[in-house]
Amino acid sequence: MEKLQNFINGEYCDPTKGKYIDNYEPATGKVYSLIPNSDEEDVRLAVEAAEKAFPIWSKMSIEERSKILVKLSEGIEARMDEFVQAESKDNGKPLSLAANVDIPRAVSNFHFFATAILHFASESHNMEGVGINYTVRKPIGIVGCISPWNLPLYLFSWKIAPALAAGNCIVAKPSEVTPYTAYLLGKVAQEAGMPSGVMNILHGEGRSVGDAIVKHPKIKAISFTGGTQTGENIARTAAPMFKKLSLELGGKNPNIIFADCDFKEMLSTTLQSSFANQGQICLCGSRIFVERSIYNKFKEAFVKRVATTVVSNPKDPAAKMGAVVSKSHMEKVLSYVELAKEEGGTVLTGGVQVNLEAPYDGGYYLRPTVIEGLAFDCRTNQEEIFGPVVTITPFDTEEDVLMMANSTQYGLSATLWTSDLKRAHRIADQLQAGIVWINAWLVRDLRTPFGGVKASGVGREGGWEALRFFTEPKNIFIKY
Ligand code: TXE
């Protein structure tokens, strides 16, 4: 069976203690490779390599650094098919999604930050007749990047690209549930001429290697995307060490639909925002609020479309949805369907596992699920399910829907459907969310700030925000 390796100091290597964990293919439920279960000793080696590489990488001209990162992005593009196949196999998502979204976006992430750094500038503040302040922004040093399983290379590269572009060396860990594309990245870095030790990629469980990254005193900043509980644990460890922290956590995003929306466009986009990537995107709109006058019309049309959505193996070109990421995640999602029933909800469609024919009979397939009749403040409507489950709830007034939309501990994103411009501004302004889409969903411009409020996280990624996070400003004053 294939054994993945860590990538330290420009070379692939085995974990020092020789421990491995199983890597499952969600489409079949079978183990198909082994992942190093690294620990603090591997982190120590990676930090040592990064420490040596830092003077070389941080002092390299920005143009040269940029060229290497552009080559990295081109390297992924040149191996597009290999990356697409690997991402789909590792995660269970349809091949078409990996080909159209995940891997192209990873290419763009590297390209975007490789070129953004060429234009990154700092400020100066003149004090008339007194002197001038100028601010320099320097790389932090060694930074830790920890990413989740839902959009594996997409989110991994979203962190490591700005970290590297800003001149840092990294010790990065993809999710142990979906390690494969990050594993492939080592080869591409070698081909791109990335100096040894700049990019170190370690595999393994959060509680072993992830925790060791967070605890290492020479790793000065942590950029994390994942569950809110994990974010809390990381913050607890990192805060007393005064590490810089960027935390992108969970969401329970509202999708608010007014009667005056473009119904057709809203309906097809709402299918996407509910179930894309099997509902495993932190930006999915899992609480759908519909103005009462169109509630029944919406319910009928939506449920009809959801009920005919094709759930199939990821290689099937007809598949609109593939497998969810793991058995335990599937069980978690199904347990929320049971909870919803206990809380008085009615399952309008879905709520069950899908059994495909061999060799996919052991895979983790779920029917997309729509539930109605729940109170806005019940657990099903407050906790992140992170799967193909949405609830629908009618509303009467703007005040009502805003109260319900803002009622969770989360505040990542929100979607709003209306053709009333004034209302769109009014509601967008009052939504407690870091990102609001009006008459659209998941339209992303990499220059914009990305992140949430409340329990959805701390800090912003994207554009200058990411480059600011991965640099340390120093203000220097000189007297006239
Ligand atoms: O995420 P974890 P899990 C949510 C979603 C999901 C839940 C749990 O609701 O059901 O979180 O998913 C690493 N120190 N999201 O358990 O554990 C871990 O190895 C350092 C939302 O898979 O947060 C992985 O690399 N690292 C979400 C990463 O953290 C640790 C995406 C994320 O895993 C660690 C994923 C520790 N103590 C899940 N423990 C989003 N916002 O996009 C774990 N890790």
Side-chain angles (χ1 to χ4, degrees), residues 68-88:
I68 292 172
L69 290 170
V70 168
K71 277 194 200 148
L72 197 69
S73 116
E74 291 167 351
I76 302 171
E77 209 167 11
R79 292 166 176 266
M80 182 60 80
D81 194 49
E82 187 185 357
F83 273 94
V84 166
Q85 299 279 347
E87 199 71 299
S88 166

Side-chain angles (χ1 to χ4, degrees), residues 72-114:
L72 197 69
S73 116
E74 291 167 351
I76 302 171
E77 209 167 11
R79 292 166 176 266
M80 182 60 80
D81 194 49
E82 187 185 357
F83 273 94
V84 166
Q85 299 279 347
E87 199 71 299
S88 166
K89 184 166 184 161
D90 218 18
N91 174 278
K93 65 180 73 207
L95 268 179
S96 56
L97 189 68
N100 293 318
V101 178
D102 290 76
I103 307 304
R105 175 58 193 276
V107 170
S108 304
N109 286 343
F110 279 112
H111 195 268
F112 175 82
F113 284 109

Side-chain angles (χ1 to χ4, degrees), residues 24 26 86-93 149-152 177-178 277-278 280 323-326:
Y24 288 84
E87 199 71 299
S88 166
K89 184 166 184 161
D90 218 18
N91 174 278
K93 65 180 73 207
W149 45 257
N150 56 329
L151 301 165
V177 185
T178 54
N277 204 38
Q278 296 69 247
Q280 303 165 132
V324 299
V325 78
S326 66

